[in-house]
Amino acid sequence: MPSSGGAPSSGIVTEVDDRGIARATIHRPERMNALNGTAAAALVAFLTTRCAEDDVRAVIIDGAGGNFSTGADIRDLAADSARNGGIDESSAASVIGGGSTLARAVRSVAVPVVASVDGAAVGIGASLAFASDLIIATRRSYFLLAFTNIGLMPDGGATQTVATAIGRARANRLVLLGEKLYAPEAFDAGLISGLVEDRAALDTEIGGVATRFAQSSSQALRLAKAALDANTLAGFEATLTRETDGQTRLLQSHEFQAAIAAFSTTRRH
């Protein structure tokens, strides 16, 4: 029988159908599916507990309301910064640690993880998609690693997953210039696995992929994924460590403090 959990108040809706296809939907449409601490923790818990059970054959991650995820919800961070006169090392480490934990949770899933992307995939939202095994996106979708634009660096493993997928030159442009990359260009570059016209077509494509996984040998999928990871994502933990160290420093920088202050001012007007 299908099982479900993750009340909408957590920001994550989850289910596992009777074929063993798990689905986690980021459900914060009023915030364009930006991830706060509660939503990120709920997603990590689902990926590392229910999705680790033997009956799960594949995992789908998607977003409600027309976007995948616009990244970390920085409202709480901005409020803490304004209240405390900045972000201290402990707070910075906590923030970046959440992104690393999320990426680690995605990669810990032994079966294929599919990102179903419609609309914006920004910041840690983009990193979440890139950490998945397959990314299928609508033509209107886009990916944006705009970290350097606000004095930060990519996290969630993106400094490795992007370069592994599209090569150093293209990854440098996406990361260092913080440019928006629309799904058709992302597909041509080899960053995503599939491209469809619209949300209806995306749901149809994801349904077909889920059916194929449900009909495949679970052991074969697990062993094939492990072999691919060993060849393409060796050193992923070292990547997360480098990102955590760098991002912790940058979250305390004058440039980012100014960006947070500007955000707080904009929110007040």
Side-chain angles (χ1 to χ4, degrees), residues 47 51-52 56-57 105-113 133 218 221-223 225-226 229:
L47 292 171
C51 294
V56 172
R57 306 175 70 88
V106 174
R107 296 311 317 152
S108 74
V109 177
V111 296
V113 178
D133 300 298
S218 179
L221 290 173
R222 291 167 184 258
L223 291 174
K225 172 174 174 171
D229 283 359

Side-chain angles (χ1 to χ4, degrees), residues 128-184:
L128 173 61
F130 298 150
S132 303
D133 300 298
L134 295 177
I135 308 168
I136 302 172
T138 59
R139 187 169 290 275
R140 77 181 189 93
S141 299
Y142 67 87
F143 302 86
L144 178 61
L145 295 172
F147 294 93
T148 58
N149 297 342
I150 57 172
L152 297 178
M153 63 177 286
D155 53 28
T159 58
Q160 180 174 13
T161 53
V162 174
T164 297
I166 63 177
R168 181 172 179 270
R170 283 174 168 169
N172 282 347
R173 187 171 187 90
L174 187 61
V175 170
L176 299 179
L177 295 179
E179 292 183 342
K180 184 182 294 186
L181 186 67
Y182 280 94

